[in-house]
Amino acid sequence: MTTPHHLRAARMDDVPRMEALIALSGIELSAGFYTPEQAQAVTRHVFGVDTQLIEDGTYFIIERGGEALACGGWSKRATLFGADRTKTGPDRLLDPATEPGRIRAFFVHPSAARQGLGRMLMEHCQREAAAQGYLTLELAATMPGVPLYLASGFAVVEPFDIALPGGVSVPLARMRKHIA
């Protein structure tokens, strides 16, 4: 008998496990979408936990048998993407009546990829954001994440690149979805 998945709010003591999950997911699930150099650069310089989401109660972890298999969340803050190390100042609250909420930092363990965990997180986040009055959600998608977000009803609004150390450029896509 298989142990069921358990989705819960992430806690600060989960950060080391989530960081390890994010690093593994960022490298392995980028194969075929990014070059090894791009995957290494975006994982090292951009990916990671934004602890403000944990403090806000909007970042979640999916576990099975105590193993972290996925994490992701939504945000009522202005930051579109990036970990604690990429922040440069206060992260203001958004106005749900006029600004989209954010979908943030979705990562799945490579051994659990394409098993519905990303969709489970997405549905949970959409319900939570809608309950807080958000009408629209927005995100910055990596190329490996675009298929999940398209399947979840998001549309590409604008492709863009981010310049990372070492002269590496990584393509992303700003995506948006109306939820109410």
Side-chain angles (χ1 to χ4, degrees):
M1 181 173 192
T2 304
T3 305
H5 295 109
H6 175 66
L7 186 153
R8 65 169 174 81
R11 301 180 306 255
M12 289 298 181
D13 64 346
D14 293 317
V15 171
R17 291 187 317 138
M18 291 187 300
E19 289 287 359
L21 166 67
I22 289 166
L24 185 63
S25 177
I27 299 299
E28 290 193 26
L29 297 182
S30 290
F33 294 93
Y34 291 141
T35 67
E37 294 78 20
Q38 288 172 314
Q40 287 286 339
V42 75
T43 299
R44 181 180 309 113
H45 299 291
V46 179
F47 292 168
V49 176
D50 179 343
T51 55
Q52 181 67 60
L53 276 66
I54 296 173
E55 291 174 13
D56 289 344
T58 62
Y59 201 60
F60 307 96
I61 186 169
I62 297 177
E63 300 169 307
R64 183 177 61 222
E67 181 183 3
L69 296 179
C71 57
W74 74 278
S75 180
K76 51 190 168 186
R77 306 270 176 182
T79 297
L80 186 60
F81 65 92
D84 283 349
R85 67 185 169 279
T86 64
K87 289 197 165 180
T88 58
D91 198 358
R92 74 172 176 80
L93 289 168
L94 298 167
D95 177 357
T98 61
E99 297 176 290
R102 311 293 196 222
I103 292 294
R104 299 280 310 279
F106 272 51
F107 296 94
V108 176
H109 192 284
S111 71
R114 290 159 195 62
Q115 295 178 18
L117 301 181
R119 184 174 296 278
M120 181 190 300
L121 277 170
M122 181 60 70
E123 290 169 358
H124 182 75
C125 289
Q126 288 179 152
R127 283 191 305 270
E128 294 271 320
Q132 293 287 320
Y134 285 88
L135 307 173
T136 305
L137 291 172
E138 188 172 76
L139 59 91
T142 60
M143 295 302 101
V146 168
L148 168 65
Y149 302 129
L150 289 172
S152 298
F154 284 79
V156 174
V157 175
E158 168 191 27
F160 65 101
D161 292 339
I162 55 172
L164 298 174
V168 178
S169 178
V170 177
L172 302 176
R174 181 181 291 263
M175 300 180 79
R176 187 173 292 148
K177 176 182 181 177
H178 298 284
I179 59 171

